[in-house]
Amino acid sequence: MRPALASLLAVLALLAACASPPDLATTAQASPPVLAAFRGDPPVTSADDWTSRRAPLLRAAFLDGVYGHPPLLGAPVVEARETLTLEDVGDALVEQWTVRLGDPALNRRFHMIVASPKGATQAPLIVMELFCGIRSAIPGRPEAVFEDKAILPGPCRSQTLDPVIKVILGKRISGPSIAEVTGAGYALAMFYAGEIVPDDPVLAPPALAALQPDVPADRRAGALAVWASLYSSAFDALTPDPRFDPARVAVWGHSRHGKAALLAAALDPRFAAVISHQSGRGGASLSRSGAGETIRQITDEYGFWFSPAYARSAQRYDLDIDQHQLIALIAPRPVMLGSGLSDTWSDPAGAFRAAQGATPAYRLFGSSGLTATQLKNDFRPADDLAWWTRGGGHGITTADWTAFLQFLDAHLKA
Ligand code: GCU
């Protein structure tokens, strides 16, 4: 491992271990109240008010102020579907799909690992964006699986780092156990959104500009808006296949992809459920919470994820929206928010407060929203706003996947 990377990972682990634990008592409630009058729109008192008046206003507010308006990516065409012969996948049928977006001349493609239980028809489907590309999701990184190292984050380029990454970020950071997930009756589609907009401050801006040639730079959508749209492109590509039930498609994302997953479901009503794990700032956590990563920090480091408008709000958060309203846009569909007690950078208490703040919108639809009352040990998988916390820091563990499947079982199999 390169020394710089090793020390960076060590410092991150140390910071996580030393930071003071998230504290609800010192974290403010979400504001503005989700049903209160907003930009001249009177208070919301019914599900119909919400759907017809408030939701469109809020969607536009998030795209204007935080993420930018996602560009049209072009209709998906499945160009290739190969069956992969893999070990340790139980009875699953595992394929690699190549999906083209729009005109072939645009050369816009992404690859998916699509795994389904043997003989599946109309199975519930989990659509996932991955951190390190699809090859690293398969143990042994088989050659047959697509990989373009140039667009992967540095630490993901070398297989030799995989064991270190797993120790720091959890056994399931690169991908779930295909055998376990398909064994539980779910189909799985995993892709790397960086194939369309690389997760890189140098490579992303030209890719974003090419997708939005007519939009001035100071109004362009950031990478998260495109990554969110890619969940919908995956939905379009996958759901004509009778193995998958279009009414039971869940989006799943961790951290930056947890931000994209929430946005995807807020914009696309076809997603039946969301799992957003440790999504933090710009995701489930309130921008005004005051704990964890600041807007200045996230927009300095990852400005290309957002619309430039979000960075402009960094000095003093002066937007009239906050992330509980993004969660509310998913109501009454089930959302699971995952967190780790030592993952203070992602501000678990700010996410809990956001789930509380979104709950009145869920109640309009007869759902109880969040009923958990504390950060720790209060997982209620059947809640429409389900709150999951474990000990430990940022990453994905086997315990996380057990909880994800409990949540999905409660909502997609009931
Ligand atoms: C960085 C970033 C977070 C993000 C995280 C991740 O830590 O500051 O906002 O959620 O990366 O995606 O793992």
Side-chain angles (χ1 to χ4, degrees), residues 165-189:
I165 292 177
K166 281 188 182 159
V167 168
I168 297 172
L169 294 170
K171 185 171 174 200
R172 290 286 159 222
I173 188 66
S174 317
S177 154
I178 291 179
E180 249 169 64
V181 176
T182 56
Y186 294 92
L188 199 57

Side-chain angles (χ1 to χ4, degrees), residues 131 255-256 259 278-279 281 293 298 302 305 345 394:
F131 237 78
S255 209
R256 61 200 70 187
K259 307 179 207 292
Q278 302 181 320
S279 61
R281 196 66 59 240
E293 184 175 23
I298 199 170
Y302 303 101
W305 288 354
W345 184 247
H394 202 63

Side-chain angles (χ1 to χ4, degrees), residues 2-206:
R2 278 173 288 166
L5 178 67
S7 30
L8 175 70
L9 293 175
V11 169
L12 287 177
L14 195 69
L15 282 178
C18 300
S20 48
D23 183 6
L24 271 185
T26 56
T27 307
Q29 308 278 350
S31 77
V34 74
L35 306 182
F38 175 74
R39 295 190 184 175
D41 187 41
V44 167
T45 57
S46 67
D48 188 49
D49 285 353
W50 178 265
T51 310
S52 61
R53 291 188 351 233
R54 182 58 55 86
L57 195 63
L58 282 176
R59 255 183 233 114
F62 276 100
L63 299 184
D64 291 340
V66 181
Y67 304 103
H69 290 253
L72 293 176
L73 297 177
V77 174
V78 181
E79 286 187 329
R81 236 177 261 215
E82 317 144 53
T83 302
L84 300 171
T85 309
L86 302 175
E87 284 166 20
D88 299 329
V89 293
D91 273 346
L93 170 67
V94 186
E95 298 166 339
Q96 173 167 238
W97 291 24
T98 307
V99 182
R100 188 188 81 225
L101 297 174
D103 196 316
L106 295 169
N107 215 5
R108 203 176 278 159
R109 288 184 176 77
F110 68 98
H111 298 78
M112 282 197 283
I113 296 290
V114 179
S116 52
K118 208 178 215 147
T121 46
Q122 297 292 297
L125 168 67
I126 312 169
V127 181
M128 304 174 50
E129 288 188 359
L130 300 177
F131 237 78
C132 276
I134 56 173
R135 192 183 285 171
S136 76
I138 311 289
R141 295 205 194 194
E143 284 296 321
V145 179
F146 175 85
E147 183 169 75
D148 176 357
K149 281 200 171 38
I151 53 164
L152 290 180
C156 301
R157 289 183 195 157
S158 151
Q159 184 164 354
T160 49
L161 287 180
D162 284 353
V164 184
I165 292 177
K166 281 188 182 159
V167 168
I168 297 172
L169 294 170
K171 185 171 174 200
R172 290 286 159 222
I173 188 66
S174 317
S177 154
I178 291 179
E180 249 169 64
V181 176
T182 56
Y186 294 92
L188 199 57
M190 306 186 271
F191 64 99
Y192 183 57
E195 282 193 67
I196 302 298
V197 173
D199 189 7
D200 179 282
V202 175
L203 302 177

Side-chain angles (χ1 to χ4, degrees), residues 221-257:
L224 287 171
V226 176
W227 298 343
S229 292
L230 284 170
Y231 280 111
S232 298
S233 305
F235 184 104
D236 292 334
L238 288 155
T239 50
D241 189 321
R243 285 177 295 172
F244 315 127
D245 180 355
R248 290 189 295 160
V249 179
V251 274
W252 177 101
H254 171 241
S255 209
R256 61 200 70 187
H257 304 113

